[in-house]
Amino acid sequence: MTVTGTGKESGSRTFFTRYPLVLLVMLSALAIALLSACSGNEPSPAGDDQSAAAITENGNGETEPQKGTGTGQETSEEADPGKSSSEDPASAALPGLKPSGEPLVIGFTMDTLLEERWKKDRDLFVEAAEKLGAEVVVKSANGDDARQIAQAETMISQGVDVLVIVPHNAEATAAIVSKAHKAGIKVLSYDRLVTNADVDLYVSFDNIEVGRLQAEAIMKLVPKGNYVYIGGADTDNNARQFKEGAFDALQPSIDRGDIRVVYDQWSKDWKPVYASENMREALEANGSDGIDAVIVANDATAGGAVQVLEKNGLAGRIPVAGQDADLASIRRIVAGTQTMTVYKPIGRLAEETAKFAVALAKGEQPAATRRVNNGKIEVPSVLLPPIAVDASNIDETVIADGFHSREDVYGAENAND
């Protein structure tokens, strides 16, 4: 058969006849290009592991993975099923993960969640721990010793990696520490110290300093006169430390005879109703003119005392100190019925404790700045500084830190004043 045509055509046909694979490759490339143009340049299968939702635009108009929604590293791992997720540098950087990539589990047993302060602690602690990659199991005992011990025992039997305790009864919870240690689980005391036990770490504020700040603030206003002291729960070591700090500051004036403590009583389980009873008893024993100042162990109990003073027309006339910087107490300070509180930046407490809990779970011993005797051992401790708050520095402390919003403190109508 004779082929006719120009030499060029003849040469071309001869080339493709001799090299048909080249023709096939060229036609395939043309087809792929046409299909890509028709589909709007959609990502190729190699990029499908990273969805559009995982992409954001940076300041240069380029696309990059959105944090937490998918990265190039995650995509490459999906392409290699044999690669362990624990080898992901992003995951490995989280201290709250086990070598297997699973989260460390922190058991958080709390005395109560009835007070505003402890709800904040719970939420902040869980948030801080989860940022580290850990998981938190939270249980509240509602002021019941037996229930707290039972809840802790359940956590221990379920194999938590570390136990964090806010004890209701400082001595009763010593049993929890012993049982946890037998199971190889370390124990951290959060804000309240477990006494007569081998606690591995105690993280709190300087509670003696809290009491000093309360007394010093009131003594500036009332350097001489009759004082009422209303303590917290006598089962709580913190309550004893608050009182110790307050009386350390008061003692020189007591010794000189300038200050006389005319009433001194604990408030069972930190309940405001018992603080109210104490305030009524103090007024009955000394008369409305026989009390010049009141120091109360925390803001919830201070609220109970202020209610009684209000009923007797004395709110705002008798200085009252509290501590915890509860929203209700800050509002009372603005209204003039409570004089001061002590702010303990619990966001920092929660963050530091979460880090320490993770370290303990991994067999590390965090560096302690102090040692606090709990009746059995000198417990390695980290004590954070508290801050006195009155009407003059609310904005610079609790509002500036985001602990309370300006609107919550002053009301929507006065928030911008």
Side-chain angles (χ1 to χ4, degrees), residues 207-249:
N207 294 320
I208 292 176
E209 181 63 15
V210 169
R212 286 197 191 105
L213 291 174
Q214 288 181 301
E216 288 169 357
I218 297 300
M219 286 193 294
K220 287 179 182 178
L221 299 174
V222 185
K224 296 181 179 181
N226 292 340
Y227 276 55
V228 165
Y229 187 84
I230 299 176
D234 62 351
T235 57
D236 183 353
N237 189 64
N238 280 19
R240 296 183 179 278
Q241 290 182 322
F242 298 146
K243 183 175 181 178
E244 179 183 345
F247 277 80
D248 279 353

Side-chain angles (χ1 to χ4, degrees), residues 12 25 57 64 72 88 95 133 149 170 191 208 279 373 393 402 417:
S12 298
V25 170
E57 190 175 278
E64 60 185 10
D88 179 358
I149 292 171
D191 196 54
I208 292 176
M279 193 69 248
N373 190 293
N393 67 343
D417 290 350

